[in-house]
Amino acid sequence: MRTLASVNRWRRRPEMVFLLVVGLTVIFLAMVTMAEQIPTVPTQIHMSNKERNELKEEAREMFYHAYRAYMDNAYPADELMPLSCTGRYRGVTPSRGDLDDTLGNFSMTLVDTLDTLVVLGDLEEFESAVKLVIKDVKFDNDIIVSVFETNIRMIGGLLSGHILAEYVQKQADVMSWYRGELLEMAKDLGYRLLPAFNTSTGIPHARVNLKHGMKVEALRHSRETCTACAGTILLEFAALSRLSGEPIFEVKAHAAMDALWKMRHRSSELMGTVLNVHSGDWIRRESGVGAGIDSYYEYCLKSYILLGDERYLARFNRHYNAIMKYISQGPMLLDVQMHRPHTKTRNFMDALLAFWPGLQVLSGDLKPAVQTHEMLYQVMQMHTFIPEAFTFDFQVHWGQHHLRPEFIESTYFLYRATGDHYYLHAGKKALKALQQHARVPCGYAAVNDVRTGKHEDRMDSYVLSETFKYLFLLFSDPADLILNIEDFIFTTEAHLLPLTLGVLGNHTMGVRDQEDQVHMLDYMRSCPSPNKLFPETVRRPLRDLVTGVCPRISSPKRLRASDFQASNADHLRTVYDMGITMVSLGEGKVQLLHSFYNAKSPEDAERGLIFMQEMVELSKSNAIPNTQLQAVAFKGKGDTDLHVLEAGPSHFGMELTKDMSVVQQAVYAQPIKLCSALKNAKEVRDKIVIMERGECTFVDKARRAQSAGAVAAIVFDNTPNTSINNQQMFAMSGDGKDDVQIPVVFLFTKEAEQLMAAIKQQPTVELTLMSVSGLKERLERERADTTKTDTKSESKATP
């Protein structure tokens, strides 16, 4: 593992503060930034050698408790079911749907675990396990499996087992009988996966039949795969080619990575999560570092480290800069739209992103690695385990914990990079949680819900391959291992591949596409000096991030989020004193950034935290602060009833309340987005101007409309299929200047289509803009007046 050596290779990102977006939705509670001065010596919580050795032996015992449970009760099944104390066989035990695509009835847990036995120094058991795999494991099975999982667990396990078998032959003079059988098995399995790569893009299908390739009815309509599924092939396939001398595997894997690279969004440099393997079109454009995309980024960097191919370093750095710009917000990693990277796509994070700090250590970016790890550690302590997904205010979103290794992996890499015993204690906390809440008589059981502690009859193969391996390595002295870990790199499944693979002859590389030319800026990275940056100083401001998100201070004069108006100069001065600054993002969004460092006083800083928390609560309650829902009303051609469309208000311009209204014909702006000078200014004068959202701020559009003499403005959404019925209504944000006097309202797409259809049918139709409550009261009065008139008419007509 080139952990420490690579730390000197690349620079760290600038310090970032936590982001809160107000407009469409409020994203998250802001957090403090680092204010303390960095000391000249690290502050460490020391752990004695004795305690560390005891924890190492406890980790070893944990591995054997699970390993023996599998071997005694489940082998040759793929997995152990620890509550039933039996094996999980594909087609025999009850189906779990797509989750079972991991299984191939090829003794996955044993294959996945081979190199862990060598890491533990148990060469006798390793030799016995290798013999069992050679004797029992077969791949000629009529079973559909995941290409991704089969590659990282099975091919990775076989290759690492082969490499270490040859290693111990030379170093320990054992296993003299071994003649490369595991490598031949890996090659056999590799050829069985190759039919999945027969696509027009070169991106592999997600699944393949081990016996019949893609020629089965169940795969006839196969189209979709995830970015991680297609982009986590190269390490294993390149190792397979270089060890076997058959280049086809590495050729296919490079082609898949090249195709994925070309699919990135050229403006944001981000990737989506799900794509069509034939057309190359994105099916899901959400971009993050968790599920569906995680190990693609990991393999971009590790492919450079293992193979020495500089294009992968350039790609990783491009992606990494984009991630740190758009996705990383303080210690949080928030999913965005790849093509609209300022737009957040969900209100939770998943547990798989816990690998990211470890990858940042590998890239040399220690400070954000420390920050994100600290956030995850606090979440773990809050819920005993890191839930499968948790919200931005650290509550459980999905309660399962599948004994995943990613947090322990990052803890291990941070300890190796810093030597800070804090990470030993974090690892101890994780170890003890597993012992207390996951250990059962027959192995370790996944937790179905961290809130109740209820178990699930599941122990994935990675528990032995990764979770216990990283725990053991964390508490081990590298000098005591029979392997020099620095000579290896870990795959995403924690299998060991030797760095010497990179110096083997590589004739699999094609001519580089001109589009893939890189720039010097892609390599200009250097790591911070360990003498200037210590984890403790970075962690300290985050210490109460989870438990102290809502400090309690009393002040009758405190500005409340529900009263805040972006157009009010006094409000802006108040939030500025609280350490909050506001930046316009365009498209009606405003960033509120909070920092203790910028606050006028500690008391103001705490008020700022409460203000930001209230913003989160306002978003959850679907509230629009200090404004009223607006209405766009009209009568269609030949209609007697009024059509009323609900519209969002703005934080700028005239607020239509009570009986206030604007009644006028409408004109479309030219250009429709109104982000440049109006071409039809004469037509707009004294009319309601209609314009499309996007490319510039709402308030800039309003200023141009007002300058042309419009009496009001309607902005319609630029996202297909949005509606008041499926979206959270919001108030369009201003920029603090109070110069817009005309009313401006916002319509989602579905409502805007109704309006446009009416205008198309009757171009002179009059629109009425007013508040929904005011319009409702007016209509009720009109109905009441009509009823009175009818009553009087009836009375007069009575003889």
Side-chain angles (χ1 to χ4, degrees):
M1 185 67 191
R2 196 178 294 176
T3 304
L4 300 182
S6 64
V7 162
N8 296 315
R9 194 179 297 273
W10 305 291
R11 68 171 173 81
R12 61 186 167 103
R13 293 283 303 171
E15 175 182 348
M16 299 187 71
V17 294
F18 200 171
L19 171 70
L20 180 123
V21 179
V22 179
L24 285 177
T25 52
V26 178
I27 294 300
F28 182 61
L29 172 67
M31 52 151 286
V32 298
T33 54
M34 185 170 71
E36 293 84 353
Q37 186 169 351
I38 294 174
T40 56
V41 294
T43 303
Q44 298 182 347
I45 307 170
H46 184 72
M47 178 179 286
S48 68
N49 290 336
K50 179 177 181 294
E51 183 179 8
R52 183 178 173 187
N53 189 62
E54 289 172 349
L55 290 168
K56 178 189 73 174
E57 293 307 315
E58 187 170 359
R60 185 197 303 273
E61 188 278 332
M62 292 169 72
F63 168 83
Y64 280 112
H65 176 68
Y67 177 74
R68 290 299 173 202
Y70 166 75
M71 294 302 296
D72 294 344
N73 302 285
Y75 182 82
D78 281 324
E79 290 179 350
L80 167 70
M81 296 194 293
L83 301 182
S84 306
C85 209
T86 58
R88 187 183 300 281
Y89 290 90
R90 185 78 171 271
V92 177
T93 46
S95 173
R96 300 174 296 171
D98 291 346
L99 184 60
D100 280 349
D101 287 346
T102 303
L103 312 177
N105 289 345
F106 37 32
S107 304
M108 182 175 61
T109 294
L110 182 59
V111 174
D112 211 6
T113 304
L114 291 176
D115 60 0
T116 308
L117 292 166
V118 180
V119 170
L120 269 63
D122 192 347
L123 300 187
E124 181 178 349
E125 185 61 30
F126 173 67
E127 181 172 9
S128 174
V130 170
K131 287 180 178 178
L132 279 177
V133 169
I134 294 170
K135 177 174 69 76
D136 296 339
V137 176
K138 300 293 183 289
F139 303 124
D140 192 30
N141 305 325
D142 187 7
I143 290 178
I144 294 173
V145 298
S146 162
V147 173
F148 163 71
E149 297 287 3
T150 303
N151 175 63
I152 65 172
R153 302 198 201 198
M154 293 298 297
I155 292 183
L158 291 168
L159 289 176
S160 185
H162 163 72
I163 290 162
L164 295 181
E166 290 195 336
Y167 181 91
V168 299
Q169 270 186 337
K170 297 174 183 177
Q171 301 296 324
D173 195 23
V174 296
M175 295 182 67
S176 58
W177 56 268
Y178 180 75
R179 292 293 182 271
E181 291 87 347
L182 295 180
L183 178 59
E184 289 301 313
M185 295 177 69
K187 188 167 66 173
D188 174 27
L189 185 54
Y191 274 115
R192 294 177 185 275
L193 298 186
L194 283 184
F197 289 79
N198 293 331
T199 63
S200 56
T201 61
I203 296 171
H205 289 277
R207 301 180 299 158
V208 69
N209 186 288
L210 288 176
K211 188 166 188 163
H212 303 293
M214 300 301 298
K215 297 178 180 179
V216 292
E217 181 61 26
L219 298 177
R220 191 162 65 89
H221 300 291
S222 173
R223 294 291 184 274
E224 298 180 8
T225 193
C226 70
T227 305
C229 303
T232 314
I233 304 289
L234 183 52
L235 292 188
E236 291 83 1
F237 267 37
L240 181 54
S241 281
R242 298 187 182 202
L243 291 169
S244 69
E246 300 191 23
I248 184 64
F249 305 108
E250 187 169 354
V251 168
K252 293 291 187 181
H254 280 301
M257 291 294 277
D258 290 345
L260 286 172
W261 172 247
K262 291 176 182 178
M263 290 175 61
R264 76 194 186 282
H265 192 271
R266 303 306 175 89
S267 175
S268 69
E269 302 285 2
L270 294 174
M271 306 286 284
T273 54
V274 180
L275 54 102
N276 185 306
V277 299
H278 292 300
S279 67
D281 294 332
W282 288 107
I283 296 170
R284 292 186 59 182
R285 296 172 181 266
E286 297 93 336
S287 188
V289 298
I293 197 169
D294 48 359
S295 48
Y296 162 73
Y297 293 130
E298 180 184 0
Y299 272 38
C300 281
L301 179 58
K302 289 184 177 179
S303 293
Y304 164 69
I305 295 172
L306 181 66
L307 307 178
D309 189 336
E310 291 185 347
R311 62 177 158 168
Y312 291 111
L313 174 60
R315 292 175 186 182
F316 173 78
N317 285 337
R318 293 265 198 100
H319 287 318
Y320 186 78
N321 290 335
I323 290 166
M324 298 307 290
K325 179 179 181 180
Y326 299 117
I327 294 171
S328 175
Q329 308 296 343
M332 316 298 288
L333 296 160
L334 314 180
D335 282 19
V336 302
Q337 291 282 6
M338 60 176 282
H339 58 298
R340 294 170 62 187
H342 293 296
T343 301
K344 308 304 177 196
T345 60
R346 63 186 192 181
N347 64 348
F348 62 90
M349 293 172 281
D350 64 70
L352 285 170
L353 61 76
F355 90 101
W356 185 250
L359 190 65
Q360 289 181 305
V361 170
L362 191 60
S363 74
D365 206 358
L366 289 178
K367 181 178 179 182
V370 171
Q371 290 178 323
T372 297
H373 181 277
E374 178 61 20
M375 177 270 294
L376 291 166
Y377 185 31
Q378 292 188 35
V379 171
M380 187 196 84
Q381 293 178 91
M382 181 179 186
H383 299 293
T384 305
F385 296 108
I386 296 177
E388 190 69 0
F390 54 94
T391 60
F392 296 163
D393 54 354
F394 310 112
Q395 302 305 307
V396 174
H397 183 76
W398 296 328
Q400 305 94 330
H401 177 73
H402 297 145
L403 314 185
R404 294 195 183 277
E406 286 79 12
F407 175 75
I408 300 169
E409 173 187 358
S410 289
T411 303
Y412 165 69
F413 288 134
L414 274 164
Y415 176 69
R416 293 297 308 281
T418 66
D420 190 341
H421 283 215
Y422 180 87
Y423 297 109
L424 295 178
H425 287 278
K428 175 183 176 180
K429 194 87 173 179
L431 181 151
K432 295 300 183 182
L434 288 170
Q435 289 285 66
Q436 184 174 352
H437 301 285
R439 187 174 179 127
V440 294
C442 196
Y444 288 81
V447 177
N448 184 261
D449 193 322
V450 298
R451 291 162 292 195
T452 64
K454 181 182 177 181
H455 286 135
E456 185 177 342
D457 202 4
R458 172 177 177 180
M459 190 183 84
D460 291 82
S461 67
Y462 56 68
V463 177
L464 291 168
S465 175
E466 299 184 77
T467 306
F468 293 137
K469 180 185 292 171
Y470 282 126
L471 270 178
F472 179 81
L473 287 172
L474 174 63
F475 299 116
S476 298
D477 187 329
D480 295 335
L481 302 175
I482 68 171
L483 295 166
N484 182 359
I485 293 296
E486 296 294 325
D487 292 339
F488 296 85
I489 191 168
F490 289 105
T491 69
T492 194
E493 190 73 6
H495 292 308
L496 280 70
L497 296 179
L499 294 173
T500 52
L501 282 175
V503 302
L504 295 179
N506 177 16
H507 305 290
T508 66
M509 299 289 294
V511 177
R512 180 175 298 171
D513 194 315
Q514 284 188 345
E515 184 184 12
D516 201 35
Q517 293 297 323
V518 295
H519 307 281
M520 286 303 296
L521 289 175
D522 294 328
Y523 302 101
M524 293 177 63
R525 298 178 61 80
S526 59
C527 179
S529 167
N531 295 323
K532 298 293 184 181
L533 175 68
F534 299 106
E536 169 62 18
T537 64
V538 182
R539 287 193 303 265
R540 191 179 302 132
L542 311 178
R543 186 157 292 152
D544 298 320
L545 178 62
V546 173
T547 57
V549 291
C550 193
R552 294 287 181 261
I553 58 173
S554 58
S555 172
K557 298 180 181 180
R558 181 177 66 81
L559 175 65
R560 300 183 182 279
S562 58
D563 299 327
F564 175 72
Q565 293 184 22
S567 59
N568 187 310
D570 290 335
H571 289 180
L572 291 175
R573 280 192 294 270
T574 300
V575 297
Y576 181 80
D577 288 343
M578 292 190 294
I580 299 169
T581 54
M582 185 171 70
V583 179
S584 174
L585 286 177
E587 296 190 355
K589 300 176 191 174
V590 173
Q591 287 181 355
L592 294 185
L593 302 105
H594 178 253
S595 169
F596 259 55
Y597 189 77
N598 293 331
K600 189 175 181 180
S601 68
E603 292 76 16
D604 285 315
E606 291 191 8
R607 291 188 184 97
L609 278 181
I610 295 175
F611 179 88
M612 298 297 252
Q613 177 67 17
E614 288 176 349
M615 279 291 186
V616 175
E617 296 304 319
L618 280 174
S619 174
K620 289 179 180 178
S621 63
N622 202 21
I624 300 175
N626 222 37
T627 54
Q628 296 184 24
L629 200 62
Q630 304 292 289
V632 178
F634 58 90
K635 285 186 178 180
K637 189 174 182 179
D639 292 339
T640 56
D641 293 331
L642 196 67
H643 294 273
V644 180
L645 306 175
E646 291 186 343
S650 60
H651 281 303
F652 53 85
M654 179 189 297
E655 184 178 354
L656 298 174
T657 59
K658 298 182 179 178
D659 284 337
M660 296 173 62
S661 65
V662 175
V663 181
Q664 190 51 270
Q665 296 176 13
V667 175
Y668 291 105
Q670 297 178 10
I672 191 64
K673 289 186 184 293
L674 199 49
C675 292
S676 57
L678 265 170
K679 296 179 181 178
N680 60 336
K682 291 183 179 179
E683 297 176 33
V684 165
R685 178 169 295 278
D686 296 327
K687 298 291 193 299
I688 298 172
V689 64
I690 299 175
M691 47 203 173
E692 184 181 6
R693 174 184 185 178
E695 295 184 6
C696 61
T697 63
F698 291 121
V699 71
D700 283 342
K701 296 175 190 289
R703 289 190 180 111
R704 291 188 179 93
Q706 179 174 277
S707 297
V711 296
I714 299 172
V715 182
F716 65 88
D717 201 5
N718 58 355
T719 303
N721 300 319
T722 59
S723 169
I724 187 69
N725 297 318
N726 61 26
Q727 299 289 320
Q728 177 178 321
M729 185 51 79
F730 63 95
M732 293 179 287
S733 300
D735 56 7
K737 298 178 183 178
D738 194 15
D739 57 346
V740 177
Q741 304 301 319
I742 63 172
V744 185
V745 301
F746 178 85
L747 285 176
F748 284 117
T749 308
K750 291 293 187 181
E751 287 72 30
E753 288 172 352
Q754 296 179 47
L755 174 62
M756 292 173 186
I759 295 173
K760 183 177 181 180
Q761 188 178 33
Q762 184 184 359
T764 59
V765 64
E766 283 193 338
L767 309 183
T768 298
L769 305 188
M770 64 186 304
S771 70
V772 169
S773 59
L775 180 61
K776 183 178 178 180
E777 291 176 4
R778 176 186 292 184
L779 293 175
E780 288 176 350
R781 287 197 303 269
E782 290 176 354
R783 280 195 294 268
D785 291 343
T786 300
T787 301
K788 289 179 181 178
T789 301
D790 291 343
T791 302
K792 289 179 180 179
S793 298
E794 290 174 3
S795 298
K796 290 180 180 179
T798 302

